[in-house]
Amino acid sequence: MHPDVVLVRNGELGVKSEQVRRKMEDRLAENLRAMFAARGLTGDIERRRNRLFVHTDEPDAVADAAADTFGVVSASPAETVEPTLEAISSALVDATEAHYDGGSFAVDADRAGPASAHPFTSPEIESECGAAVWDAVESMGAEPAVDLDDPDFRLCVECRPDEAYVYLERRAGPGGLPLGTQRPVVALVSGGIDSPVAAWKLMARGCPVVPVYVDLGDYGGPDHRARARATVETLAGYAPGEPMSLHVVDAGAVVADLEAAMADLRMLSLRRFMLATAEAVAEAEAAVGVVTGEAIGQKSSQTSANIAVTDVATTLPIHRPLLTMDKADITNLARDIGTFEDATVDTGCNRVAPELPETNADLDAVRAAEPDDLFERARTCATAREVVPIER
Ligand code: ATP
Ligand code: MG
């Protein structure tokens, strides 16, 4: 097979109104170009309804790059052939000779355009070309078998009036919407397993993120900061068109004060402080929400009762895309995204947490126990933040 094009499918964009879809497709094309450039790849993007075609000499790497781009549902390296049964059959036979490795096979064909565009139907492509593949398998010395539902070897054909495309695989993309089609949100990123996954999930819905790391002083330290930075670098790899910086808020003095002044409620005040710093950074960076990696009940500060107490620390919406997920599933996602390896040290929070933290806190009790100037200090610390550009 000689793939010369990558078919890029963009799923959810197809159900938008014409105007919105056009804008989102513009952005998707722009993001794909940025992704190719970041990986040193070249490709000409041709736009068609619900699809992008990338004409390229490097279909394999281009398909991988597309499959890492938000808004892309799947990508297939494909070979362009004449839209005739002879040409399609011949390409399928070539593909079989090069890639068939035993077991059952199936030919899946789709035809686009008016019925008059081709003197054949999709079922006719499947049966005629399937027969040619059958013969090819037989002449390779194997026992041919067709399994339309779950074949070991699937050959796909997309036949359009002017051209047909033949491909063997669909590489799954993240889906969602193109990055940059929503307003940005601040991502509270600790470098643990959860928060980078949560940030990635918002990116996958089109939101650029402004990552904020709260440095907990003696409870955090250089290893935590380096780890947070490493996860943000990995996230930045999914956003080649977006400049990204890590905003580091120094909270060492605040943590020490909370620890001295408060007992079993201090984690909640620390969370409230973090959310208040996030709000201040959001204001400065024109972001419209905050994303955290919280999941109900995962930790004492994340019981449904305690989330009610921390949630009111900001008037911005707090997005919690992992809210109902189990840790094992979040961990699998972190592995897929590539942030798991960066996140193997314990977070500082684990050390700030008291022996017996409150799991059913009362807002008035937390307010009464925490320093009066907690939110003011959050704003001051946020203003003094260090902005570290992320290289890629
Ligand atoms: P992760 O930080 O990835 O969730 P974790 O589960 O160990 O790992 P938690 O203590 O559960 O961390 O923190 C809950 C959420 O609070 C995090 O998902 C993150 O959004 C935010 N957060 C915690 N610590 C920090 C920090 N030092 N800086 C910025 N955000 C933080
Ligand atoms: Mg967590």
Side-chain angles (χ1 to χ4, degrees), residues 188-190 192-195 212-214 271 274 292-294 298-299 302 327 347 349:
L188 275 171
V189 172
S190 70
I193 293 171
D194 305 319
S195 46
V212 171
Y213 169 67
V214 180
R271 290 269 178 262
M274 286 182 183
T292 75
E294 292 165 300
Q298 192 199 72
K299 288 197 168 176
Q302 296 166 32
K327 189 79 182 190
T347 50
C349 286

Side-chain angles (χ1 to χ4, degrees), residues 6-74:
V6 177
L7 312 190
V8 179
R9 302 172 190 86
N10 61 23
E12 199 165 319
L13 270 57
V15 302
K16 303 277 179 203
S17 70
E18 184 70 19
Q19 203 187 359
V20 173
R21 186 170 58 78
R22 213 171 273 280
K23 250 173 101 176
M24 290 203 170
E25 282 178 359
D26 283 347
R27 188 59 199 238
L28 179 60
E30 203 180 299
N31 292 353
L32 283 167
R33 276 186 211 102
M35 186 63 96
F36 299 157
R39 298 190 181 184
L41 302 168
T42 51
D44 287 331
I45 297 176
E46 179 198 347
R47 287 167 50 169
R48 299 195 194 170
R49 203 178 158 72
N50 291 346
R51 278 272 202 296
L52 293 164
F53 289 72
V54 187
H55 302 277
T56 176
D57 295 336
E58 301 155 290
D60 193 52
V62 162
D64 279 343
D68 278 342
T69 304
F70 298 120
V72 171
V73 170
S74 66

